[in-house]
Amino acid sequence: ELVVQFQVLNQSCQCLAWKPRPVGVWPCPGESQHVVAGYSDGTVRVFSVSRTEMELKMHPHAAALTAITYSTDGEMILSGGKDGTVAISSPRTGMTIHVLADHKGSPITVLQCTRKQYHDFGVEGGELWLATSSDRRVSVWASDWLQDKCELLDWLSFPAPAGPEGLDNLPPSLAMFCPWEHGVLVYVGFGLQKEALFYSLRKKQVLRKISLPAFATSLSLSPAAPFMAMGFGDRLLRLQPCPTGDPQDYAGHDDTVHFCRFAPSGRRLLTASHSAVLVWELTGA
C-alpha cells in the first residue's frame, strides 16, 4: 500500500536515507519520521513522512547528488556529488558546515557513518565515517560534530588494470564498515582480481580476501550476523557467510542486481534490479 508520495517537478531523485532514531529511544505516537533525498540539481530536501510535507531545502552541491546519509545521531546530513565533493550540512539550521574536495573529479558512490569511541584510533571524535568514489578511493574520517571537527583518518586507493572503458562502464566502488568486526571495512570494486577485501583500520592492511564469481554491483553487510549480501551483473544474488563458509547463490532478478540492503534486524534483505524489487527472508541467519 502506498502511504505517502513526495514529488519534485523536473528533478530526478538520485539517493535517499531515513533519519536514524536515537539509541535507546522508543518510537512514540505521532513521532515525526524524516527522509532526506538528493536531487539532480544539487539540492537536498528533507521530508516529514508523518506530516507529509517538505521541511527543508538546501543547495550544497553544484552537481547532481549521488550519495546521501545521516550521521548516526541524525544531527548532520552528509551528501556526495557527481563531481566528487562531499558536503556536511545541518538539518536544524539549513547551513552547510563543511565541503570536502578530497575526492573531487570522481562521483561519490558510498557515504556511511558509524559510532566510535574517542580512544579507538587515537583521534578525537564520536563518529567515524567513510566516503567512496568511482575511482576506487576510500577516505575514512573521524568527526566531532558538536566541536566542528573533521579529521582524515585513512586514505585507501585500490589498483585496477588499465582499460579503455570509462568509469560509467565499470562496476561500482563500494565500501562499508563491518558491523561484526570492529575497526574493519569491506571493499568491493573493479580491480586486479574479483574479490571482497577486508581492511583493518588499526593495522593499515588487508586482513583477508574472499573470491567472487564476478565484480560485485551491490553490497550489504548484515547488522545482526556475520553475513554479507552481494549482487552481480548476471542477475545473481550471493549470501556469503564470513569469515569463511560456503556461499549461497540465488536467482530471481531480471537484470543486474544493483541494490541490496539488510533490514536493521538482519532477518530480511531487500534487493532491486531493473524492474523488480524483491524481499528475502533469512530463516537460517
Side-chain angles (χ1 to χ4, degrees), residues 126-237:
E127 184 153 294
L128 214 61
W129 62 275
L130 63 78
T132 309
S133 50
S134 294
D135 55 1
R136 300 172 302 281
R137 294 184 296 169
V138 182
S139 61
V140 182
W141 304 77
S143 291
D144 188 331
W145 307 122
L146 294 177
Q147 299 296 324
D148 197 23
K149 290 182 178 178
C150 194
E151 182 178 347
L152 181 64
L153 183 67
D154 209 338
W155 181 266
L156 314 179
S157 184
F158 294 94
E165 310 98 333
L167 282 176
D168 291 340
N169 299 319
L170 296 177
S173 302
L174 305 172
M176 295 186 70
F177 292 111
C178 187
W180 61 82
E181 199 166 351
H182 203 55
V184 171
L185 62 84
V186 179
Y187 171 86
V188 296
F190 181 65
L192 301 175
Q193 303 292 334
K194 301 178 179 71
E195 56 193 4
L197 304 176
F198 287 72
Y199 177 86
S200 170
L201 293 169
R202 284 195 182 85
K203 297 182 178 180
K204 308 283 189 183
Q205 65 183 39
V206 174
L207 298 178
R208 59 184 175 276
K209 305 174 182 180
I210 294 179
S211 296
L212 303 177
F215 292 116
T217 53
S218 54
L219 170 71
S220 184
L221 308 182
S222 170
F227 283 91
M228 65 179 181
M230 288 167 289
F232 298 94
D234 54 358
R235 298 175 291 182
L236 180 73
L237 172 69

Side-chain angles (χ1 to χ4, degrees), residues 60-120:
H61 293 273
L65 272 80
T66 51
I68 200 163
T69 191
Y70 275 95
S71 60
T72 55
D73 59 7
E75 292 298 316
M76 292 292 168
I77 293 171
L78 288 74
S79 54
K82 191 175 182 179
D83 59 0
T85 59
V86 175
I88 300 167
S89 309
S90 168
R92 289 185 181 272
T93 65
M95 300 292 291
T96 297
I97 299 166
H98 292 289
V99 176
L100 305 173
D102 299 71
H103 289 268
K104 194 169 184 178
S106 185
I108 302 297
T109 52
V110 178
L111 290 169
Q112 189 197 8
C113 300
T114 186
R115 289 181 180 85
K116 67 172 283 291
Q117 301 298 319
Y118 281 77
H119 54 77
D120 276 3

